[in-house]
Amino acid sequence: MAKEIIALILAGGEGSRLGVLSKLLAKPAVLYGGKYRIIDFTLSNCINSGIDTVGVLTQYRPLQLNHHIGIGKPWDLDRMNGGVTILSPFTKQHKGEWYSGSADAVYQNIHYVEEQGAENVIILSGDHVYKMNYSLMLDFHKKNNADATISVINVKPEEASRYGIMSTTDDGKIYEFEEKPANPKSTLASMGVYLFKWPVLKELLVSDHQNEQSEHDFGKNIIPMLVQEKRSIWAYPFSGYWRDVGTIQSYWESNMDLVTRVPQFNLFDPFWKIYTPNPVKPAHYISDTGHVTRSIIAEGCMIYGHVRNSVIFPGVVIEKSALIEDSIIMSNSVVKSCSHIRRTIVGEKTTIGSNVATGVGEFAESRYNSKVYQTEITVIGSCSYIPDNTVIGCNVAIDNHVTADDFTSSEIPSGSFIMKGDEYGA
Amino acid sequence: MHNTMGIILTGGKNNRLKELSLERSISAVPFGGKYRAIDFALSNMVNSGIRNIGIPTQYNFRSLMDHLGSGKEWDLDRKNDGLFIFPPYLSEYSSGWYRGTADAMYSNITFLKRSNEEFVVINQGYAVYNMIYNDMLEQHVDKDADITIACRYMHDFSQEELTHLGIIERDSEQRIIDFQEKPLNPKGNFASMGIYILKRKLLISLLEESAAHGYFEFVKDILIKKLNELRLYAYEFKGYWRPLTTIQLYYRANMELLNPEVRYELFVKNGKIFTKVKDEPPAKYNEEAVVKNSIIADGCIIEGHVENSIIFRGVKIKKGAAVKNSIIMQGSIVGENASLDNCILDKNVIISLGKQLNGDPNWPLIVGKGVTV
C-alpha cells in the first residue's frame, strides 16, 4: 500500500566532537536527558506525527544503536505494514561500499523507499534534540505543492555562519542557500529536516551519484542543486527548542537545560511523549543522608549523597558524603563515598572510587585534542574505574574501559588525558 | 519450567483494603511507586520460565485488564501460549459469576484441557514477593507429591493477621498433616502462601469432582477435604512475602521498601519485576526540594519536603508542602503548604493548598481515587 510519507533517519554519524562519549557508539546512540538516547527524540517525533514507516541509516559503530532500536517496540514501530527498518551498508554483486555521504546513503537505499511506495520522504538527522510535529510540515509542503520543504530555525546572527543559511521571499519560498557562509545573508538556519517529493529526490540522488566531484551530502550538494535548478523549495519555520548536541559543551548545556524550574524543553508533555526502551528498574530511592536539588533522577538510582544541578541516569548509586555538582552521571555508574564530582560527564557502568575529586582547579588547554576538549568539562568514558583518592582537574579526558593500572599518578591535572587506543587496548 | 503452566487467582471482593479496592481487584492495587500487586506473581512466573498463564478475574477487573493488556511488558504477547485473561461469562454450561476459586478455574477448564504442560503453578495476584518456582517444583517431583504448597514461618505477622491465613502442620518429611483455614486460634505461625504446584491432569480431575458435588473453593473444598487422601507437601520459602490484603499490611509492605534489604530481595535477587511502562521522564527536583528516606518514581516534580514516603509516577509535590510517612499514588498533586502525615492518597487526588491531613501509623488516612481535598 502506498504511503503518503515515510521517514529516513541519518544515524551513521560518528559525532567526533563528543570525544570518548561517542568513541564506542554512534552519536545518535549517546545517552541524553536522564534516560534517553539522542535518536529517541527523532523516533518519537515520527510516531507522534503519525509516520509509521522509518528507515534508520547506520554506519559508524551501529551495535548499540541496533540493540536500542530492535524491532521498534518502544515506539510502537513494530508493524506488519511499515515499522522501523535498519538500513546498514551492504555488498552488491560486484563490490560493496560504505555510505560516502548522507545523500549517498539514501541513494543506496532507493529500493527501500520504492518498496514502501512513498509519495514523500522526510530526511531526518538522528542526532538532534527537539520535539517537532512533521505532519504540520507535510501540510505546509502539500499546500505549497513544493518539490522540497526545509525546516528552518532562527539563529543568532553571530552563530549563523555555523549553519546552512536560507534566503527566502516573504511567503517563505527559498531562492538562495549557503552552507556555512562566512557572511550570512539571513538568520534562517537549516535544521537538517528535509521533506521531498520522492520522484524529485530520486532524480536528484541519481544525478548527484553520477557527479564525481560531489561529496554526496544533503547540505553541500543536494540542497544547492535544488536551488540551482530553481525548483519549488520552501522554508518551514520552526520555533521550538532544537539543539545539535554535537560538542561536549553543547551536550552538557542541553542536559543542564532540563534541570531548570521550567525547562524550555518540556519532557513532561503527556501528548508528546518521548519513548525509549524500559530499563526495568524500581523507582529510585533517596536515603536519610541524601539531598537532591535542581536535578533530574531516573529509576533504580540510590542516592545517599548530595546531588545538585545534575542529571542522573537509571541505576546510578551515589554513596554517602559524595557530592555531585553540575554533572551528568550515566546509567549504572557508582560514585563512592566522599567523592566530589564537579562539572564532569561520567559514562555508563563506570565506578568512581572514594574520595575522588574531579573538576579541580583552573581550565587548561587539552593536551589530547583541543578541538574536542575545549571547555572546563571533564569527561570520563564508560566501563572505567577511577581509583580511590584520585584528583582530576578540569577539561580532562579519560577513556572508556580504563582500569586502575592505567593510572600512573593519583593526580591528573587540568588539560591532561588517559587514552587507551580501541576498546581491546590495541 | 517449560512443562509448567500458571494460573493467577486475583481474589474476590475484599473489604479489608477499604477504599483502595472499591474500584479495583485487590490484585490491581498499586504498590511501591510504580507497580500493581499482580506484577510480582506474574513476573515470578515469567522469571521461572512459565510462558502459558491464565488469569481468571471477576471483581472490578477493568483496571487489571488495562494494566495487563496483551502481556507485552512480561514478554507474554506470544503466538503460542502467552497471557490469557478470563472474566466470567454466561453460557449454557457456565453460571456466570465465579462462586469461588475452584469454580473460577473450573469455569475455564477448557484452558487447562487444551494446554499440554505437565504441571500447573497456582498463585495469588495480591501478594508481593520474589520467588522462582523451580526449587519448589523440584521438591514436588522428589517427594512424589500430589500437591505441594509453598509455606512460610509468619514470624513477622501479628496474631490477628495469622487468623486470616491458612495454618499448616507438617511432619519431618514435609508432608502436611493438618491445614486450618483462617483459624480463630492459630497453632503456630507456619502458614500457606497460597502457592500450589500439582499436575495439570490432577487439577482437572479435582476441579471436575468438586464441581460435580457443588463445591467451589479450592482450599476449603479440595485441599482440606483431600488432606488424607492425597499426598500434600509443604515447601518452605524463607524470603520476604506480604499479602496486600489489609490496609495495615498494605501500608507496612510499602514502608518496608525503604529498607534496602527488602528492596534488594523484592526487585533484584531472583529476577526483575516487570510492570506496565508509562514512558514518563525522570523525576525532577527543584531548588526547594528536601527528600529523605523516600522512594520517588519517574515523572514526579518535587518542590516540597518528602520524608519516609512512597511517591508514585507523575506526582507533584508543590512548594512548602510536607509529606511524611505517606503513600501518594500516580498523578496526585499535593498543593503548596499542604501537609500530610500517615496518609494514603489513591490515584489522581488533589490536596489543595494549605490543607492538613493526619492519619495514624496503625490506621492511615485514605483518600479515595480522584478526590479533591
Side-chain angles (χ1 to χ4, degrees), chain A residues 261 273 281 284-285 299, chain B residues 34 278 280 285 288 293:
Chain A
R261 186 174 304 272
K273 282 190 174 181
K281 289 183 188 291
H284 68 260
Y285 173 70
E299 291 177 314
Chain B
K34 61 182 287 198
K278 299 275 184 200
E280 299 269 10
Y285 291 74
E288 308 80 4
N293 195 37

Side-chain angles (χ1 to χ4, degrees), chain B residues 34-228:
Chain B
K34 61 182 287 198
Y35 302 96
R36 290 186 190 263
I38 199 167
D39 293 340
F40 293 84
L42 197 52
S43 301
N44 287 340
M45 284 194 172
V46 169
N47 290 336
S48 301
I50 298 171
R51 294 285 178 266
N52 183 21
I53 300 172
I55 305 184
T57 177
Q58 71 175 354
Y59 184 76
N60 275 337
F61 51 79
R62 189 204 57 80
S63 55
L64 196 63
M65 301 270 268
D66 172 60
H67 181 68
L68 298 171
S70 61
K72 199 171 174 176
E73 330 280 359
W74 295 267
D75 257 347
L76 290 172
D77 54 333
R78 303 204 153 220
K79 271 191 170 172
N80 297 313
D81 302 331
L83 182 69
F84 300 89
I85 302 174
F86 302 117
Y89 58 93
L90 270 176
S91 76
E92 218 170 304
Y93 305 102
S94 160
S95 57
W97 296 113
Y98 302 147
R99 288 161 292 183
T101 47
D103 192 38
M105 289 190 273
Y106 177 73
S107 302
N108 299 295
I109 203 149
T110 322
F111 169 62
L112 286 165
K113 287 185 169 168
R114 280 188 187 162
S115 299
N116 67 355
E117 288 85 356
E118 189 178 2
F119 298 101
V120 185
V121 175
I122 300 171
N123 68 9
Q124 313 293 330
Y126 52 74
V128 297
Y129 64 112
N130 190 332
M131 175 181 177
I132 300 288
Y133 304 115
N134 302 48
D135 283 354
M136 182 173 167
L137 179 64
E138 205 170 290
Q139 186 197 301
H140 179 80
V141 173
D142 282 355
K143 297 278 183 194
D144 195 23
D146 288 318
I147 304 177
T148 300
I149 304 178
C151 302
R152 173 178 184 277
Y153 282 108
M154 304 291 177
H155 51 82
D156 40 7
F157 284 65
S158 72
Q159 201 64 18
E160 199 275 327
E161 285 165 348
L162 288 176
T163 64
H164 297 292
L165 298 173
I167 304 297
I168 301 278
E169 266 186 77
R170 58 179 166 166
D171 66 14
S172 57
E173 289 295 301
Q174 308 300 325
R175 183 152 179 187
I176 295 174
I177 50 178
D178 195 17
F179 190 131
Q180 297 187 322
E181 178 69 349
K182 301 181 182 165
L184 283 175
N185 294 304
K187 289 190 280 180
N189 64 6
F190 193 67
S192 163
M193 296 160 65
I195 303 167
Y196 317 106
I197 292 185
L198 69 167
K199 283 203 167 126
R200 182 176 58 91
K201 286 187 175 149
L202 175 62
L203 179 61
I204 292 170
S205 72
L206 290 172
L207 292 173
E208 283 178 337
E209 192 188 327
S210 79
H213 289 100
Y215 297 143
F216 308 123
E217 287 296 338
F218 187 71
V219 173
K220 203 172 80 196
D221 300 326
I222 295 179
L223 292 181
I224 294 179
K225 286 205 171 98
K226 296 277 178 183
L227 190 63
N228 296 316

